[in-house]
Amino acid sequence: MDLPYAEPYKIKMVEHIKRSTRQQREQWIKQAKYNLFNLRSDQVFIDLLTDSGTGAMSDKQWSELMLGDEAYAGASSYFKLKNAIKDIFGFDYFLPTHQGRAAENVLFSVLVKPGDIVPGNSHFDTTKGHIEYRKATALDCTIDQAFDTDAIHPFKGNVDLNKLEDALKKYNDKIRFIIVTITNNTAGGQPVSMQNLKDVRFLADKYGKLLVFDSARFAENAYFIKTREKEYKYWSIRDIVKEMFKLPDAITMSSKKDGIVNIGGFIGFRDKELFRQATVYNIMFEGYITYGGMAGRDLNALAQGLYESTTFDYLEARIGQVHYLGQLLTDYGIPVQKPFGGHAIFVDARKFLPHVPKEEFQAQTLAIELYKEAGVRGVEIGTLLADRDPVTGENRYPKLEFLRLAIPRRVYTNNHMAYVAAALKNIYDRRNDIRHGYRIVYEAPILRHFTVELEPVE
Ligand code: F0G
């Protein structure tokens, strides 16, 4: 019999989490104005809000904290991370930032101006936010299969090359760069193939554009390339990563995902000139170039984390756990994005709650139901997150309405996953009784989902 995957680590320290009653949770979510971001973490039993900054560091990472060099300039921690970035990604230049959106802020200060168009594959919400804030447009060129949760495609995160080339022809003078997000979070943690990355590079060269990767989950993307793209079957994860990162001119990175640290980010550059331009903004917004918003100890922990996340055994267990949850839900008949992604399971809320009108936020309604049922916190990746159209002020109804169950790295066991799946099954069994959702009582003009306040539609 083939041996199953097993985590290549054991548990050295535990953190207690609290169970609660349904009655308590109904009270708490009401007090939180039906926004799961407003819950206190001790009101949550299993927290699948995000896989960002929520991972468990290893003993080696914790020991790196003690070795942090907190010098303002030229700290050894900076050089440790610089060497790791050169070794793993191949970049000679980098700037630390306090997280991924800060990297976007700095890089886009150089690259985006009003009226620009930035094509890519389903830009993450902060990426889109930083583009729209600069009065530019994020143009989604993801392949159509990504928007059909039952369509099976090994690389549903791919860029549609025809859509991209059409955009490059039509808006040539408005496009400075293309951004490819690996893995494609918004479409369901779906990977982008090496071939697609190479094809996008080809088009970037053909039209004289820069290519940027949003690399938050680059290691998970490399795992899918190894396991799904024949040519790379015998390549190591590190070699695949090196091959991927020969392609972009620059990368933004939220280290809170595949860096397996609680805070941090960086920008990687191939070219010294672009690095120099971005340096000005980094010093203004983030900090001096050798720490950029991070403590020396955190730079150390990140350097170590990058080595740990780019190993096959770790990735197999990590993605294996995500797939374990996906399979349980599928066995219960619950509609989810397939194939399962790298960091989360995305429940198709439109199919799950067909009686709730789309104006009443189906995925948010499901997220609230799941919290009330079992104290599990997921997150809406749907209409609330899509914000209003900046021109018309109307709600934007995205092609997919998801409840995302994002799994922190190295934190929960498969028993926790079974608990989550059982909770969702209970709701699925009574889905036809759920006919109403929520209406907005307060919203911010941009990135409204973080602070929105809701009330139930009776
Ligand atoms: N890019 C992608 C693909 C992301 O998923 C995120 C964050 C960012 C950029 C921004 O990075 O949070 O470090 O500023 N995603 C988190 C999530 C918040 O829950 O998916 P950040």
PDB file of all heavy atoms in Angstrom, residues 379-394:
ATOM      1  N   VAL A 379     -14.418  33.720   5.105  1.00  0.00           N
ATOM      2  CA  VAL A 379     -14.500  35.095   4.615  1.00  0.00           C
ATOM      3  C   VAL A 379     -15.233  35.150   3.276  1.00  0.00           C
ATOM      4  O   VAL A 379     -15.125  34.227   2.461  1.00  0.00           O
ATOM      5  CB  VAL A 379     -13.102  35.741   4.515  1.00  0.00           C
ATOM      6  CG1 VAL A 379     -12.306  35.216   3.327  1.00  0.00           C
ATOM      7  CG2 VAL A 379     -13.187  37.262   4.455  1.00  0.00           C
ATOM      8  N   GLU A 380     -15.985  36.207   3.093  1.00  0.00           N
ATOM      9  CA  GLU A 380     -16.691  36.430   1.831  1.00  0.00           C
ATOM     10  C   GLU A 380     -15.710  36.886   0.764  1.00  0.00           C
ATOM     11  O   GLU A 380     -14.939  37.826   0.979  1.00  0.00           O
ATOM     12  CB  GLU A 380     -17.745  37.539   2.040  1.00  0.00           C
ATOM     13  CG  GLU A 380     -18.725  37.665   0.893  1.00  0.00           C
ATOM     14  CD  GLU A 380     -18.623  38.963   0.088  1.00  0.00           C
ATOM     15  OE1 GLU A 380     -17.542  39.563   0.039  1.00  0.00           O
ATOM     16  OE2 GLU A 380     -19.643  39.355  -0.503  1.00  0.00           O
ATOM     17  N   ILE A 381     -15.725  36.191  -0.381  1.00  0.00           N
ATOM     18  CA  ILE A 381     -14.983  36.678  -1.551  1.00  0.00           C
ATOM     19  C   ILE A 381     -16.067  36.805  -2.615  1.00  0.00           C
ATOM     20  O   ILE A 381     -16.277  35.904  -3.424  1.00  0.00           O
ATOM     21  CB  ILE A 381     -13.882  35.683  -2.009  1.00  0.00           C
ATOM     22  CG1 ILE A 381     -12.936  35.326  -0.867  1.00  0.00           C
ATOM     23  CG2 ILE A 381     -13.130  36.217  -3.227  1.00  0.00           C
ATOM     24  CD1 ILE A 381     -11.734  36.190  -0.692  1.00  0.00           C
ATOM     25  N   GLY A 382     -16.804  37.887  -2.540  1.00  0.00           N
ATOM     26  CA  GLY A 382     -17.962  38.024  -3.417  1.00  0.00           C
ATOM     27  C   GLY A 382     -18.325  39.479  -3.593  1.00  0.00           C
ATOM     28  O   GLY A 382     -17.448  40.336  -3.757  1.00  0.00           O
ATOM     29  N   THR A 383     -19.631  39.756  -3.495  1.00  0.00           N
ATOM     30  CA  THR A 383     -20.151  41.071  -3.850  1.00  0.00           C
ATOM     31  C   THR A 383     -19.689  42.174  -2.892  1.00  0.00           C
ATOM     32  O   THR A 383     -19.414  43.291  -3.322  1.00  0.00           O
ATOM     33  CB  THR A 383     -21.689  41.006  -3.901  1.00  0.00           C
ATOM     34  OG1 THR A 383     -22.045  39.919  -4.753  1.00  0.00           O
ATOM     35  CG2 THR A 383     -22.292  42.275  -4.444  1.00  0.00           C
ATOM     36  N   LEU A 384     -19.598  41.852  -1.608  1.00  0.00           N
ATOM     37  CA  LEU A 384     -19.123  42.889  -0.674  1.00  0.00           C
ATOM     38  C   LEU A 384     -17.698  43.270  -1.022  1.00  0.00           C
ATOM     39  O   LEU A 384     -17.349  44.444  -1.114  1.00  0.00           O
ATOM     40  CB  LEU A 384     -19.176  42.379   0.768  1.00  0.00           C
ATOM     41  CG  LEU A 384     -20.521  42.433   1.477  1.00  0.00           C
ATOM     42  CD1 LEU A 384     -20.389  41.835   2.873  1.00  0.00           C
ATOM     43  CD2 LEU A 384     -21.035  43.865   1.570  1.00  0.00           C
ATOM     44  N   LEU A 385     -16.870  42.249  -1.233  1.00  0.00           N
ATOM     45  CA  LEU A 385     -15.460  42.494  -1.532  1.00  0.00           C
ATOM     46  C   LEU A 385     -15.275  43.188  -2.886  1.00  0.00           C
ATOM     47  O   LEU A 385     -14.336  43.962  -3.060  1.00  0.00           O
ATOM     48  CB  LEU A 385     -14.707  41.156  -1.518  1.00  0.00           C
ATOM     49  CG  LEU A 385     -13.223  41.224  -1.776  1.00  0.00           C
ATOM     50  CD1 LEU A 385     -12.459  40.579  -0.634  1.00  0.00           C
ATOM     51  CD2 LEU A 385     -12.842  40.530  -3.054  1.00  0.00           C
ATOM     52  N   ALA A 386     -16.198  42.955  -3.798  1.00  0.00           N
ATOM     53  CA  ALA A 386     -16.045  43.527  -5.146  1.00  0.00           C
ATOM     54  C   ALA A 386     -16.266  45.042  -5.154  1.00  0.00           C
ATOM     55  O   ALA A 386     -15.990  45.703  -6.157  1.00  0.00           O
ATOM     56  CB  ALA A 386     -16.989  42.841  -6.119  1.00  0.00           C
ATOM     57  N   ASP A 387     -16.775  45.600  -4.064  1.00  0.00           N
ATOM     58  CA  ASP A 387     -16.985  47.050  -3.966  1.00  0.00           C
ATOM     59  C   ASP A 387     -17.966  47.538  -5.044  1.00  0.00           C
ATOM     60  O   ASP A 387     -18.481  46.781  -5.848  1.00  0.00           O
ATOM     61  CB  ASP A 387     -15.664  47.839  -4.097  1.00  0.00           C
ATOM     62  CG  ASP A 387     -14.983  48.051  -2.744  1.00  0.00           C
ATOM     63  OD1 ASP A 387     -15.690  48.106  -1.720  1.00  0.00           O
ATOM     64  OD2 ASP A 387     -13.743  48.153  -2.718  1.00  0.00           O
ATOM     65  N   ARG A 388     -18.194  48.845  -5.038  1.00  0.00           N
ATOM     66  CA  ARG A 388     -19.049  49.447  -6.064  1.00  0.00           C
ATOM     67  C   ARG A 388     -18.196  49.882  -7.246  1.00  0.00           C
ATOM     68  O   ARG A 388     -17.006  50.144  -7.087  1.00  0.00           O
ATOM     69  CB  ARG A 388     -19.778  50.669  -5.492  1.00  0.00           C
ATOM     70  CG  ARG A 388     -20.842  50.283  -4.519  1.00  0.00           C
ATOM     71  CD  ARG A 388     -21.499  51.481  -3.901  1.00  0.00           C
ATOM     72  NE  ARG A 388     -22.347  51.047  -2.802  1.00  0.00           N
ATOM     73  CZ  ARG A 388     -23.618  50.666  -2.947  1.00  0.00           C
ATOM     74  NH1 ARG A 388     -24.185  50.694  -4.120  1.00  0.00           N
ATOM     75  NH2 ARG A 388     -24.314  50.268  -1.896  1.00  0.00           N
ATOM     76  N   ASP A 389     -18.807  49.973  -8.397  1.00  0.00           N
ATOM     77  CA  ASP A 389     -18.109  50.481  -9.576  1.00  0.00           C
ATOM     78  C   ASP A 389     -17.728  51.936  -9.309  1.00  0.00           C
ATOM     79  O   ASP A 389     -18.596  52.737  -8.948  1.00  0.00           O
ATOM     80  CB  ASP A 389     -19.046  50.381 -10.787  1.00  0.00           C
ATOM     81  CG  ASP A 389     -18.333  50.751 -12.074  1.00  0.00           C
ATOM     82  OD1 ASP A 389     -17.921  51.926 -12.226  1.00  0.00           O
ATOM     83  OD2 ASP A 389     -18.186  49.854 -12.915  1.00  0.00           O
ATOM     84  N   PRO A 390     -16.431  52.283  -9.463  1.00  0.00           N
ATOM     85  CA  PRO A 390     -16.032  53.653  -9.120  1.00  0.00           C
ATOM     86  C   PRO A 390     -16.742  54.704  -9.988  1.00  0.00           C
ATOM     87  O   PRO A 390     -16.907  55.851  -9.567  1.00  0.00           O
ATOM     88  CB  PRO A 390     -14.523  53.686  -9.358  1.00  0.00           C
ATOM     89  CG  PRO A 390     -14.105  52.355  -9.826  1.00  0.00           C
ATOM     90  CD  PRO A 390     -15.304  51.450  -9.899  1.00  0.00           C
ATOM     91  N   VAL A 391     -17.197  54.324 -11.173  1.00  0.00           N
ATOM     92  CA  VAL A 391     -17.847  55.297 -12.054  1.00  0.00           C
ATOM     93  C   VAL A 391     -19.353  55.368 -11.784  1.00  0.00           C
ATOM     94  O   VAL A 391     -19.899  56.437 -11.514  1.00  0.00           O
ATOM     95  CB  VAL A 391     -17.575  54.953 -13.550  1.00  0.00           C
ATOM     96  CG1 VAL A 391     -18.263  55.959 -14.455  1.00  0.00           C
ATOM     97  CG2 VAL A 391     -16.073  54.920 -13.804  1.00  0.00           C
ATOM     98  N   THR A 392     -20.030  54.214 -11.802  1.00  0.00           N
ATOM     99  CA  THR A 392     -21.499  54.239 -11.682  1.00  0.00           C
ATOM    100  C   THR A 392     -21.976  54.224 -10.229  1.00  0.00           C
ATOM    101  O   THR A 392     -23.125  54.565  -9.953  1.00  0.00           O
ATOM    102  CB  THR A 392     -22.128  53.020 -12.383  1.00  0.00           C
ATOM    103  OG1 THR A 392     -21.715  51.848 -11.648  1.00  0.00           O
ATOM    104  CG2 THR A 392     -21.686  52.897 -13.823  1.00  0.00           C
ATOM    105  N   GLY A 393     -21.130  53.801  -9.305  1.00  0.00           N
ATOM    106  CA  GLY A 393     -21.550  53.702  -7.909  1.00  0.00           C
ATOM    107  C   GLY A 393     -22.456  52.508  -7.631  1.00  0.00           C
ATOM    108  O   GLY A 393     -22.935  52.317  -6.518  1.00  0.00           O
ATOM    109  N   GLU A 394     -22.674  51.656  -8.641  1.00  0.00           N
ATOM    110  CA  GLU A 394     -23.518  50.469  -8.443  1.00  0.00           C
ATOM    111  C   GLU A 394     -22.689  49.322  -7.864  1.00  0.00           C
ATOM    112  O   GLU A 394     -21.481  49.245  -8.105  1.00  0.00           O
ATOM    113  CB  GLU A 394     -24.096  50.002  -9.797  1.00  0.00           C
ATOM    114  CG  GLU A 394     -25.086  50.968 -10.429  1.00  0.00           C
ATOM    115  CD  GLU A 394     -26.318  51.187  -9.567  1.00  0.00           C
ATOM    116  OE1 GLU A 394     -26.868  50.201  -9.044  1.00  0.00           O
ATOM    117  OE2 GLU A 394     -26.715  52.356  -9.392  1.00  0.00           O
TER     118      GLU A 394
END
